[in-house]
Amino acid sequence: MKFRLETPRLIIRDYTAADLDDVTEILADPAVFWWVKEPFTRERARSWLAEEMGYVARDGIGRRAVVLRSSGKVIGGAGLVWRDLETGREIELGYHLHHGYWGQGYATEAGAACLEYARSLGLRRIVSLIYVDNPRSEAVARRLGLSPERELVWAGLPHRMWVLRLGRRAAS
């Protein structure tokens, strides 16, 4: 069964090898992956894409392609990923978009769909690791209902761990 989440403007689906051109454009964007010392080449993007697809195949969860319904273009990635932290294993909600699509609510829309998916899996706690000087991502986390819990060093950089405790939705 293929993974697919739909929102009014987006489709969130598994990455495929055919997404390489869009993924290369996103990963090479220095506004998106600013902490990477050397820009992503097409080959490096191909490796990244294979790694993301491998996580999904292995774990059943992972980052997926965020696709504009109107055009079919991959504009970013979002999803749930396992993170091994000093306090234990957590499931993180992660998201990134090409900077040309920032400020239009796409990250919040994709994140909300991923949180509904997390609820459907019965997950009770979701974290988001956000670099301390990233107010845009913090604003998305806040809109999604996450709250800052603590600071930590992750991937060699200072981050805040944002947390959401998921409850069950009331039956309709």
Side-chain angles (χ1 to χ4, degrees):
M1 180 168 165
K2 290 189 175 189
F3 180 91
R4 186 178 178 98
L5 300 175
E6 295 191 27
T7 73
R9 301 180 298 163
L10 303 171
I11 297 168
I12 302 166
R13 58 151 174 83
D14 289 333
Y15 282 112
T16 69
D19 296 328
L20 181 59
D21 289 341
D22 289 340
V23 167
T24 300
E25 182 182 341
I26 294 161
L27 297 180
D29 181 350
V32 176
F33 285 91
W34 54 266
W35 66 90
V36 177
K37 292 184 175 137
E38 295 185 24
F40 273 80
T41 62
R42 184 174 178 79
E43 282 311 306
R44 192 168 173 199
R46 185 187 319 275
S47 294
W48 182 92
L49 185 59
E51 189 174 278
E52 292 301 312
M53 292 165 62
Y55 291 144
V56 170
R58 183 188 70 219
D59 299 335
I61 63 170
R63 276 185 292 236
R64 265 80 180 213
V66 175
V67 181
L68 280 179
R69 290 175 71 110
S70 61
S71 68
K73 181 172 180 56
V74 176
I75 62 168
L80 307 172
V81 292
W82 283 106
R83 295 289 184 221
D84 292 315
L85 304 172
E86 70 271 5
T87 56
R89 202 158 201 228
E90 300 269 14
I91 294 195
E92 180 192 20
L93 168 63
Y95 42 84
H96 63 271
L97 296 176
H98 186 284
H99 84 271
Y101 298 92
W102 291 359
Q104 299 174 54
Y106 293 126
T108 303
E109 194 171 320
C114 291
L115 290 176
E116 283 304 311
Y117 176 63
R119 279 186 184 91
S120 78
L121 295 175
L123 299 175
R124 296 296 195 180
R125 176 180 159 100
I126 298 293
V127 303
S128 192
L129 304 175
I130 301 175
Y131 176 66
V132 295
D133 193 24
N134 189 344
R136 287 178 161 287
S137 281
E138 287 188 341
V140 171
R142 193 171 284 110
R143 283 191 295 275
L144 292 171
L146 286 85
S147 302
E149 183 177 87
R150 65 187 181 89
E151 292 195 9
L152 71 157
V153 174
W154 182 75
L157 297 168
H159 283 71
R160 276 189 201 92
M161 179 187 290
W162 290 69
V163 175
L164 177 64
R165 295 190 194 309
L166 298 171
R168 296 193 197 281
R169 291 258 177 198
S172 28

